[in-house]
Amino acid sequence: GLQENSLHIDGRFMCPCATGSKQLSNIQSFIGNDYFCESGCPEQYKVNTPYFSDPLWDGKQCGSLEQECCKAPGLPWFHKVLSSTTTDYIELRVCADQGTNDEDV
């Protein structure tokens, strides 16, 4: 999400799990609830400003709107229990909607 403690415009830039988010309807069905989302920006968003004080996906320092986002079991580890064993490849995606000059993840 863009910010931890405010909706920033109308909520369209928030994590899907955040209070007031407009993103929940945009989650692909195959993802379901199997995602982590957290903002590292504890204050008013500033362009091209890194936020190092709040590491992402650690379940700590979650803002007032992100409390639900930070309740995933096992944080800070990504894990998923599968219903059966598999030899298939496992895919992890990190999503961004900007170039690396703005969202260098």
Side-chain angles (χ1 to χ4, degrees):
L2 187 60
Q3 294 175 186
E4 295 176 353
N5 295 314
S6 73
L7 290 177
H8 188 74
I9 303 176
D10 64 358
R12 65 184 135 169
F13 301 112
M14 302 303 296
C15 290
C17 47
T19 303
S21 175
K22 304 283 188 214
Q23 295 299 323
L24 196 54
S25 62
N26 295 331
I27 296 176
Q28 298 291 317
S29 61
F30 68 91
I31 295 173
N33 291 320
D34 297 325
Y35 66 89
F36 289 144
C37 186
E38 181 183 347
S39 174
C41 177
E43 65 234 18
Q44 181 64 36
Y45 169 74
K46 297 178 189 120
V47 176
N48 296 323
T49 302
Y51 297 95
F52 298 116
S53 65
D54 184 5
L56 297 178
W57 310 307
D58 63 354
K60 299 176 183 173
Q61 295 175 276
C62 297
S64 59
L65 300 177
E66 291 186 330
Q67 293 301 311
E68 289 301 312
C69 304
C70 295
K71 291 182 178 178
L75 282 173
W77 301 103
F78 292 92
H79 71 278
K80 170 70 178 167
V81 176
L82 302 175
S83 58
S84 62
T85 58
T86 183
T87 57
D88 292 344
Y89 290 107
I90 296 175
E91 182 176 333
L92 171 72
R93 297 181 185 187
V94 176
C95 302
D97 66 351
Q98 304 289 318
T100 56
N101 64 324
D102 189 40
E103 293 184 358
D104 193 10
V105 292

